Amino acid sequence: MALHALLRPITATTTRPNVIASTSIIGIMRKQPCSNMAAFHDVFKKAKHIVALTGAGISAESGVPTFRGAGGFWRRYNAQDIATPGAFLANPSLVWEFYSYRRDLVLSKKPNPAHSALADAEKQLADEGRRLVVITQNIDELHKDAGTKNLYELHGTLFKTRCTKCGSVNENRDSPICPAMAGKGSPDPDAEDARVEEGELPRCKKCTGLLRPHVVWFGESLDPDVLMNAQKELDSCDLCLVIGTSSVVYPAAMFAPEVAARGMPVAEFNIESSSSTENFGYVYVCNSFFLCV
């Protein structure tokens, strides 16, 4: 069953037959954690405050590269080595090529049924006096495009810039982001680095300072306000969904285990078990978010 089909019957007043076969993995909620969909339906129906933690896996179904693991390369570079303050300081042109490519790619993508299912569930639950919040590690804004309102973007967004001089943050969906980036950013391993002069890179309209993507890079801290608000949601939720994230990047890696540790149910939907799977009471391992096996 597809993930989008998974959420919709849960919010209905009637229970549909369980047509999903899932992998059962030992966790701390039960000696034999539940992988029965009917049981999860019952938990979902009773929940008043639900938090969905999402990661790159949910957007992969829309054609957005995850840039993690063995395939996490752009050109000949490890993408995680480019997404750092040091890389930007050393070669802002290269970093902007990488992000220009990602911006243009995501602008061509649409939310998939999993994004839409969460947005639809948020609306329906609100009508019932219940709450659903999405906390995402993704920077593609596909949750927002799908209509999700209760949204915390832990790692920022591709479509905001921040001035390195005055700190001004602004939305920006220009394509290209500046004239010098037109046609740049090809992921081809044989592509030449553009080596754009710093003065031709994206500049602040207020002070002409150099702009950077408004994202949280490796080695940087999350926005304290975003983190505080996300933590409040996690501290008060009575059900947590983990969707498309391997839960290896901190502090997000501890979110779901913390919810499980205080006795609240956690349900994981992933293409493979994660390092935190054993902490969860409901586990559904899927080949994709459209075809669960």
Side-chain angles (χ1 to χ4, degrees):
M1 179 185 288
L3 177 63
H4 65 280
L6 206 67
L7 288 176
R8 290 195 174 107
I10 294 171
T11 60
T13 57
T14 59
T15 302
R16 298 184 185 179
N18 175 23
V19 296
I20 184 170
S22 306
T23 301
S24 181
I25 301 174
I26 294 178
I28 63 173
M29 295 287 294
R30 296 179 174 84
K31 291 183 179 179
Q32 289 294 325
C34 181
S35 60
N36 179 279
M37 186 53 58
F40 176 61
H41 283 191
D42 290 339
V43 170
F44 193 101
K45 288 178 183 178
K46 295 174 183 177
K48 301 296 184 183
H49 185 173
I50 302 163
V51 170
L53 302 173
T54 70
I58 196 171
S59 291
E61 298 287 359
S62 292
V64 178
T66 63
F67 289 115
R68 293 194 65 83
F73 282 82
W74 170 78
R75 293 183 184 168
R76 57 194 176 278
Y77 302 101
N78 186 318
Q80 294 183 45
D81 291 336
I82 297 177
T84 70
F88 188 73
L89 182 64
N91 194 342
S93 172
L94 181 66
V95 174
W96 263 121
E97 276 200 85
F98 175 55
Y99 280 94
S100 181
Y101 161 71
R102 296 182 71 180
R103 283 165 55 95
D104 289 346
L105 177 71
V106 171
L107 285 171
S108 72
K109 305 303 180 183
K110 301 294 183 183
N112 64 57
H115 294 109
S116 299
L118 287 170
D120 292 346
E122 177 193 86
K123 295 175 184 177
Q124 182 169 337
L125 294 178
D127 291 340
E128 300 170 5
R130 301 159 69 194
R131 180 172 175 81
L132 187 148
V133 176
V134 174
I135 300 174
T136 188
Q137 298 173 78
N138 298 340
I139 60 175
D140 52 39
E141 293 197 3
L142 290 179
H143 281 299
K144 186 181 296 184
D145 292 345
T148 293
K149 304 298 183 186
N150 301 329
L151 178 64
Y152 295 98
E153 295 167 314
L154 292 176
H155 295 162
T157 165
L158 287 169
F159 303 109
K160 286 183 180 178
T161 59
R162 184 166 79 248
C163 180
T164 59
K165 184 177 179 181
C166 72
S168 178
V169 175
N170 291 283
E171 292 189 13
N172 187 311
R173 284 181 170 257
D174 294 344
S175 180
I177 190 168
C178 67
M181 280 291 126
K184 305 296 192 301
S186 168
D188 188 334
D190 295 325
E192 294 280 341
D193 295 349
R195 301 187 182 279
V196 175
E197 293 291 332
E198 187 170 312
E200 297 179 22
L201 293 173
R203 313 298 296 190
C204 179
K205 294 181 179 179
K206 292 183 178 179
C207 72
T208 71
L210 178 64
L211 296 179
R212 56 161 283 179
H214 187 53
V215 298
V216 179
W217 283 329
F218 290 94
E220 294 184 324
S221 300
L222 301 186
D223 182 300
D225 291 333
V226 173
L227 182 59
M228 179 183 66
N229 289 327
Q231 191 65 58
K232 285 181 180 178
E233 300 285 353
L234 290 157
D235 289 344
S236 58
C237 75
D238 54 4
L239 173 61
C240 180
L241 310 179
V242 178
I243 305 170
T245 175
S246 57
S247 299
V248 296
V249 177
Y250 285 82
M254 289 305 301
F255 288 167
E258 286 173 355
V259 173
R262 62 182 179 85
M264 295 296 105
V266 176
E268 180 183 54
F269 302 88
N270 265 322
I271 60 174
E272 59 186 7
S273 60
S274 70
S275 60
S276 296
T277 294
E278 63 182 17
N279 295 322
F280 306 146
Y282 300 87
V283 177
Y284 305 95
V285 178
C286 311
N287 281 337
S288 79
F289 292 107
F290 295 147
L291 299 172
C292 295
V293 296

